[in-house]
Amino acid sequence: MTKKICLVTGCAGFIGSHLTQRLIDLGHFVVGVDNLFSGYVHNMEGFLDHPDFKFHEISITEEDLLESLKEAYPDLDVIFQLAAIVSVPYSVEHPKLTMDVNFEAARKMFEASITLGISHFVFAGSAAEYGNEERLPVREKYATDEVKHFSPYGASKYKFSSFLEKSGSGCSLRFFNIFGPRQDPTSQYSGVISRFIDFGLDGKNMVIFGDGTQSRDFLYVSDVVDSYLIAAGLDPLGRGPLTGIYNVGTGNGISILELANTVSALTAAPLEFVFKPERVGDIKHSRADVSKISAAGFSPAVSFDDGLKKTIEWSRSCK
Ligand SMILES: NC(=O)c1ccc[n+]([C@@H]2O[C@H](COP(=O)([O-])OP(=O)(O)OC[C@H]3O[C@@H](n4cnc5c(N)ncnc54)[C@H](O)[C@@H]3O)[C@@H](O)[C@H]2O)c1
């Protein structure tokens, strides 16, 4: 495959660092942008000094950012737009900043990408765009202007995905619950899997909000990276590229109780769960309809158990 120059915004984050590593491993050059708002330099330690990586510590809200990067890297041809305010509670406290970063900055970058003739633009959408959708599995067309979003986070992601769809170019991948190494367990807003693993390895009781029957569609991070490569036409197997909006998940729901039991077994933690009242705004079930992305040739390669084992192994190595 021809060597591409790719821009990854959010390269110091959980998903962005995995995507960057894979692109470099495949022989591409990555221009990484991150302002370290919720990402870490240590997430990039596998590639920070690689000759095919150049890091720019800068915000995506910087005026004419893409124009300057294109001047510095004239062959830049693929954009992965991951940088975002990702914390739902933070977005509730900072709605304007969330809209400025998650929608406005992304919109300016997308418009500049069209003007500059960049071939592929892939956006990180989210299941939060569906609000409290009760029809399961959730289909792409269920996110409409009528949906009541719980947070500026969900609203900003929806606003950009629908803007992109109307433009007729670019791709938004709507991710459900992603897990894997480098997901930050110390953040109070971090994913349930990283928190459960942390509880398990520290021998602490696992806190479950509600009765634990609520379920989520969990996808391992390397499968997320596969979907990115497909969307941008960089898949070694030749799948893609994709235009429009695609759910990315497994299509299976796993209950929080089932997750807690599996993590307990795999970390050899005692089966002690502390039940706390359901959190306001938490949705009961979330599961993707994956027929659209499946038709494009995507299917998860890592089973839930194998993904958990890899994540636990990584968490252990960090202790
Ligand atoms: N993790 C999930 O389960 C999940 C699910 C759905 C969608 N997503 C989306 O995937 C993307 C990556 O999420 P993640 O889980 O890796 O989160 P993350 O917080 O680890 O990564 C986000 C990165 O964006 C950077 N960033 C934030 N604001 C920035 C700005 N103004 N300029 C430059 N960089 C900035 C952060 O420093 C961080 O490194 C996000 O867009 C998120 O909304 C994640």
Side-chain angles (χ1 to χ4, degrees):
M1 182 177 280
T2 328
K3 181 172 187 156
K4 294 281 184 187
I5 313 278
C6 308
L7 168 62
V8 176
T9 72
C11 62
F14 161 47
I15 302 168
S17 61
H18 285 275
L19 172 62
T20 301
Q21 183 70 65
R22 181 88 72 84
L23 289 166
I24 293 170
D25 291 347
L26 288 171
H28 301 298
F29 184 96
V30 177
V31 179
V33 162
D34 203 300
N35 67 352
L36 305 180
F37 182 79
S38 59
Y40 302 97
V41 170
H42 65 71
N43 281 343
M44 303 189 285
E45 65 190 13
F47 51 80
L48 196 52
D49 297 326
H50 197 285
D52 283 334
F53 179 72
K54 184 81 179 98
F55 181 52
H56 296 262
E57 186 179 335
I58 193 166
S59 171
I60 57 162
T61 55
E62 189 78 14
E63 211 52 48
D64 298 330
L65 176 63
L66 189 59
E67 287 83 350
S68 326
L69 291 174
K70 183 74 175 159
E71 227 172 281
Y73 307 94
D75 293 333
L76 200 165
D77 199 36
V78 182
I79 299 179
F80 296 99
Q81 168 52 29
L82 282 73
I85 303 287
V86 299
S87 157
V88 169
Y90 185 91
S91 81
V92 172
E93 285 161 24
H94 303 89
K96 182 173 180 318
L97 178 64
T98 303
M99 210 41 99
D100 285 351
V101 175
N102 295 10
F103 175 72
E104 271 307 323
R107 181 186 62 79
K108 283 185 187 152
M109 186 151 341
F110 175 73
E111 286 176 343
S113 80
I114 300 289
T115 309
L116 296 167
I118 286 169
S119 303
H120 299 288
F121 185 101
V122 187
F123 176 70
S126 166
E129 295 179 43
Y130 295 109
N132 190 10
E133 178 58 60
E134 288 178 353
R135 290 167 291 178
L136 292 176
V138 181
R139 301 177 68 181
E140 285 86 352
K141 67 177 186 185
Y142 293 170
T144 66
D145 291 348
E146 314 311 315
V147 168
K148 192 177 171 319
H149 293 107
F150 285 135
S151 64
Y153 172 75
S156 63
K157 290 284 179 178
Y158 170 70
K159 196 168 175 189
F160 188 82
S161 291
S162 48
F163 159 79
L164 196 78
E165 189 177 42
K166 280 185 201 120
S167 80
S169 79
C171 176
S172 172
L173 299 174
R174 277 193 185 137
F175 298 116
F176 280 61
N177 289 66
I178 302 167
F179 72 104
R182 298 190 207 128
Q183 195 164 28
D184 182 8
T186 57
S187 156
Q188 67 176 121
Y189 310 128
S190 140
V192 62
I193 293 193
S194 58
R195 274 186 291 117
F196 277 8
I197 291 177
D198 219 38
F199 286 148
L201 293 180
D202 290 348
K204 290 188 206 141
N205 295 335
M206 290 182 192
V207 177
I208 294 177
F209 295 99
D211 61 6
T213 58
Q214 63 271 39
S215 63
R216 297 290 181 268
D217 184 336
F218 294 108
L219 185 70
Y220 188 66
V221 68
S222 62
D223 285 320
V224 170
V225 172
D226 288 350
S227 72
Y228 267 120
L229 297 179
I230 295 172
L234 299 181
D235 175 44
L237 302 177
R239 296 166 291 183
L242 308 177
T243 303
I245 300 176
Y246 289 79
N247 281 342
V248 184
T250 62
N252 303 315
I254 299 213
S255 77
I256 298 303
L257 212 48
E258 194 180 339
L259 168 67
N261 277 312
T262 314
V263 172
S264 287
L266 292 173
T267 56
L271 278 174
E272 294 274 341
F273 303 142
V274 178
F275 290 90
K276 291 203 172 167
E278 215 169 281
R279 287 182 302 191
V280 181
D282 263 2
I283 55 170
K284 188 76 184 168
H285 300 289
S286 170
R287 180 160 57 88
D289 178 306
V290 289
S291 34
K292 206 174 160 192
I293 191 119
S294 302
F298 171 81
S299 63
V302 180
S303 71
F304 182 61
D305 278 16
D306 283 350
L308 269 186
K309 283 178 198 155
K310 286 172 198 273
T311 312
I312 291 169
E313 211 172 286
W314 172 80
S315 302
R316 259 205 189 101
S317 73
C318 297
K319 293 279 171 199

